[in-house]
Amino acid sequence: MTETTAIRYPLLPLRDMVIFPGSVTSIFVGREKSMEATRRAMDSDRHIILATQRNAEITIPGLSDIYEVGVVAEILQLLKMPDNTYKILIEGLRRIRLVDIDAVDETCPIGVAVHSVSAEPTGEKETHLYQKSIAKLVDAFERLNEQQTFMANEAWRELRAKNDPERVIHAVAESLRIPFIEQQDVLGTDNLWERAEKVKAAMENQLELSRLEGQIHDKVRAQLDKMQRQYYLQEQIKVIREEMGDGEPDEFETLKKRAKEKIWPEEIRQRCESEIRKLEKMPPMSAESGVIRNYLDWLLDLPFGETTQDNNDITRAEKILNESHYGLEKVKDRILEFIAVKQLASTLRGPILCLVGPPGVGKTSLAKALAESLERKFVRIALGGVRDEAEIRGHRRTYIGSMPGRIVASLKKVKVKNPVILLDEIDKISSDMRGNPAAALLEVLDPEQNREFNDHYLDIPFDLSQALFVATANVTHSIPEPLLDRLEIIQLSGYTEMEKIQIANRYLIPRQIEENGIKGVELQYTNKSLAYIIRHYTKEAGVRQFERELAQIARKIARKVVEKQTEGAQILDKQALVEHLGPAKYLYTRKETENPVGKVSGLAWTSTGGDILNIEVALAHGKGNLQLTGNLGDVMKESASTALGFIRSQAHFLGFSNDFFEKNDIFIHVPEGAIPKDGPSAGITLVTAILSALTQRGVLSHIAMTGEVTLRGNVLAIGGLKEKVLAAFRGGITHIICPKDNEKDLAEIPQSVRQQMQFSFVVNVREVIALALVQGATVFQEKSGLAFYATHLTGQTPITAGGTTTQPM
């Protein structure tokens, strides 16, 4: 590039556009200084400097606000517009480099510039590359111009005839639809070869974009042509079938016929017909038509009016329940009451029964038996782990892949509106950011609201009032309070050992014989052998594990039959059970053989039934600490503190000095430390164990106890008495001490168990001590504690406590 002497012309800054040498175009001039520059140019030789602003928002640009390279142009024509602005026709003459703006005259900027001469290629190699680049540029532009008209063919031929490569570069750059910043970059490049390469790169981008646009256009056109062709052929087929009076009816006629034959409310009929009319007007292959087809399929398949006739024969229902389930009298009575009321009452709101109990006690099978006794269809909805509200209410049709909720889907499956719907594991529903399914169930399970249940997908009311809902749960504390309020809770406690034996003889053993193909083999189980399996191979409230053990025995025998190692009756005594099942898996807690000191048999409720909970207490010189071990929960720790508090409040009756408890530590341990333990029902057990250790009186081994204690020594009611008593009975306990307030629960305990056990109902812990300790009636009368600790803890002669000799510790 070479620069000549400076030239001075009026300056016209451009916004968002670039003018190239040789370009002829129109410009609208509206800014006052720009209009003054135009007038001065017209008054002189019509030459004016055109340079592009870097930022179009600036009204009065300075030198730094304008690109350095611009053009000198000649004003060919000036028109004054009605709004007093100018429209000028200009022609770019040559490139210039702006070096300064003369600010002497504030009304008109004068540009000081020098001519910017393009650097032509030098040398044979560079000239060859330049010519090759120009040839590729021309070829690419001609191909692009065939696809999209950027320049008239006559103008392009005229330009090519001038044989001016620089003019060709400028004309192509100006014709391309590229941002003005890229055009300015081309104009500001002095080397002609580099300038040609930049234009060629922009050209290739335009070619690729044009190719993609063409492909998209072709695909869209092909799809439209295909849809139009299919529509045309479908219409032809329809007309041909109508003329021949033959063939299957078309889709819309089928939908209309199904809608007409459907039993449903008039409002929903109108909604369906409206959707069919909408579908007829849509192209068959459109996405929306698929959504409407799916919606119509759901509407036409749902049982808006279809029901089954109930069988209200109460005798038949009782027979079915008794044949399918042993025991469970409470829930059977409730089902029979429902059937009886249904016979007498013309209209009956379906109750929402919730069967609560440990796993394996027959909750799900009871719901099936209820459906069978009523001759209703049965459907199960598993709610365990459900955390999305849409699982209950469905998704709105605006979402891709939307569908109704599980309630509506289950009704479509059974094709009637009055089935027995089992909501299984309702206590295991969770919630997250997608909503709370338990809240959605409130409408489903409320008899006042479910007459018009609104599924989001259907968006129409659906009557659920004729369905009979039965829920199952293992516990109630995890069910939200508003939902729990709508449920009628029926507790199913664990089976007794005798009940499990009866269930095995009536149901489990015959089923395993049939399932394992050993009908020709007689399995001789005795009650004693079945009890051995229950005690040593299972630890559950129900019978699932029990049946798995029986199934294992049946498989072992089936293998022996196939291998011809056995034939005839199979006597399954203890030795045979160990051979088939291996060593015992569980050792259940039994009563002590002697009357231990500082050890008491308590009773605990577990999810698998009940268990005996031994509590041990020991004392040692120390600083008055209470040490609790055995993986105890907070409530049980508080119960231990309460028990010790009661004993300390009675210290003057026991003969202990005022500082005795400050000088001795009390250690309380509950064995099986890996198992968490909690709850307040061990209160009287803790008091008895501590007093036994303090007074060195033994605890009667045939006694077990349960009950919450207060600081005043009152005994409060507890839960799970049936399970606790059954555990005590299994462990050989014959005497139970429990709160007076639980006397009403005695009726739930099987009569066969009650007849073999003694029950003492107490209101105060003093009664517990009198019953449980050896010579316990005298504990609060004699100052036995003082006598013991005056000699025993000091290492003097042994004493006799409750008939047993105790050596010094």
Side-chain angles (χ1 to χ4, degrees), residues 715-718 721 738-745 761-763:
V715 181
L716 305 182
I718 48 83
L721 182 64
C738 53
K740 179 71 174 177
D741 291 338
N742 285 106
E743 190 171 3
K744 64 183 186 305
D745 299 326
F761 298 96
V762 298
V763 296

Side-chain angles (χ1 to χ4, degrees), residues 655-656 660 784-797 799:
F656 296 113
F660 169 78
S784 56
L786 181 62
F788 170 72
Y789 283 98
T791 58
H792 192 66
L793 288 182
T794 58
Q796 298 179 14
T797 57
I799 69 169

Side-chain angles (χ1 to χ4, degrees), residues 286-360:
S286 68
E288 182 66 20
S289 66
V291 173
I292 295 178
R293 280 191 186 88
N294 193 38
Y295 180 72
L296 287 171
D297 286 340
W298 276 99
L299 278 185
L300 293 168
D301 288 340
L302 283 174
F304 287 93
E306 295 83 354
T307 59
T308 55
Q309 184 66 36
D310 287 349
N311 187 332
N312 295 323
D313 187 345
I314 194 169
T315 304
R316 175 181 173 275
E318 184 175 10
K319 181 181 178 182
I320 291 174
L321 292 173
N322 288 332
E323 287 178 350
S324 59
H325 292 80
Y326 181 82
L328 305 176
E329 301 301 330
K330 189 175 180 180
V331 64
K332 289 180 182 177
D333 289 342
R334 181 61 186 90
I335 293 173
L336 295 176
E337 289 167 6
F338 166 73
I339 296 175
V341 174
K342 199 170 186 304
Q343 277 188 357
L344 301 175
S346 56
T347 58
L348 174 65
R349 292 191 309 181
I352 314 298
L353 303 178
C354 182
L355 308 179
V356 179

Side-chain angles (χ1 to χ4, degrees), residues 74-147:
E74 180 182 358
I75 301 176
L76 302 179
Q77 186 180 20
L78 185 146
L79 295 176
K80 190 172 183 180
M81 307 303 291
D83 58 353
N84 293 324
T85 59
Y86 295 157
K87 177 182 179 182
I88 59 176
L89 180 67
I90 57 95
E91 178 183 8
L93 300 178
R94 56 189 176 275
R95 295 168 65 248
I96 55 94
R97 186 175 301 278
L98 188 65
V99 296
D100 195 9
I101 297 178
D102 191 348
V104 175
D105 189 347
E106 295 182 358
T107 61
C108 174
I110 302 298
V112 180
V114 294
H115 293 298
S116 180
V117 180
S118 299
E120 295 187 358
T122 58
E124 183 178 350
K125 182 177 180 181
E126 187 174 344
T127 301
H128 175 71
L129 291 174
Y130 172 59
Q131 293 174 350
K132 188 176 181 181
S133 179
I134 292 296
K136 289 183 178 180
L137 175 66
V138 170
D139 179 65
F141 183 75
E142 289 179 347
R143 285 188 283 115
L144 182 63
N145 205 41
E146 291 177 358
Q147 300 175 10

Side-chain angles (χ1 to χ4, degrees), residues 411-422:
L411 293 174
K412 177 187 177 184
K413 179 180 178 181
V414 295
K415 301 186 184 305
V416 291
K417 64 184 297 186
N418 65 336
V420 174
I421 300 178
L422 175 64

Side-chain angles (χ1 to χ4, degrees), residues 638-783:
E638 292 176 357
S639 185
S641 299
T642 303
L644 181 58
F646 166 74
I647 293 172
R648 294 186 65 172
S649 70
Q650 304 295 314
H652 58 286
F653 293 110
L654 300 170
F656 296 113
S657 61
N658 293 333
D659 61 349
F660 169 78
F661 290 100
E662 282 74 27
K663 294 182 179 180
N664 296 279
D665 291 342
I666 298 177
F667 299 86
I668 299 178
H669 177 66
V670 184
E672 298 185 39
I675 301 174
K677 309 165 191 74
D678 205 0
S681 64
I684 63 174
T685 313
L686 289 163
V687 171
T688 305
I690 295 172
L691 277 176
S692 172
L694 290 174
T695 64
Q696 287 296 290
R697 295 173 185 257
V699 181
L700 299 177
S701 63
H702 68 283
I703 287 180
M705 60 189 69
T706 179
E708 182 178 355
V709 72
T710 70
L711 282 173
R712 299 176 62 85
N714 296 326
V715 181
L716 305 182
I718 48 83
L721 182 64
K722 178 183 177 182
E723 289 81 2
K724 294 176 180 179
V725 170
L726 294 178
F729 178 74
R730 185 175 65 239
I733 300 293
T734 59
H735 189 175
I736 301 294
I737 301 175
C738 53
K740 179 71 174 177
D741 291 338
N742 285 106
E743 190 171 3
K744 64 183 186 305
D745 299 326
L746 200 62
E748 297 183 3
I749 300 170
Q751 186 176 359
S752 60
V753 176
R754 295 202 306 265
Q755 291 174 347
Q756 300 181 56
M757 301 189 75
Q758 178 184 351
F759 293 87
S760 296
F761 298 96
V762 298
V763 296
N764 193 277
V765 76
R766 292 172 181 265
E767 302 173 55
V768 179
I769 300 303
L771 292 167
L773 294 186
V774 175
Q775 299 179 0
T778 62
V779 169
F780 286 94
Q781 298 174 10
E782 300 177 0
K783 298 186 179 298

Side-chain angles (χ1 to χ4, degrees), residues 231 234-235 238 249-259 275-284 289 293 296:
Y231 179 75
Q234 286 174 350
E235 290 298 314
K238 181 179 177 181
D250 68 356
E251 177 187 14
F252 305 116
E253 291 300 325
T254 303
L255 291 174
K256 290 176 181 178
K257 183 179 180 181
R258 290 178 63 190
E275 294 291 331
I276 294 174
R277 289 193 296 270
K278 189 188 301 183
L279 180 63
E280 286 183 297
K281 298 176 182 179
M282 286 187 174
S289 66
R293 280 191 186 88
L296 287 171

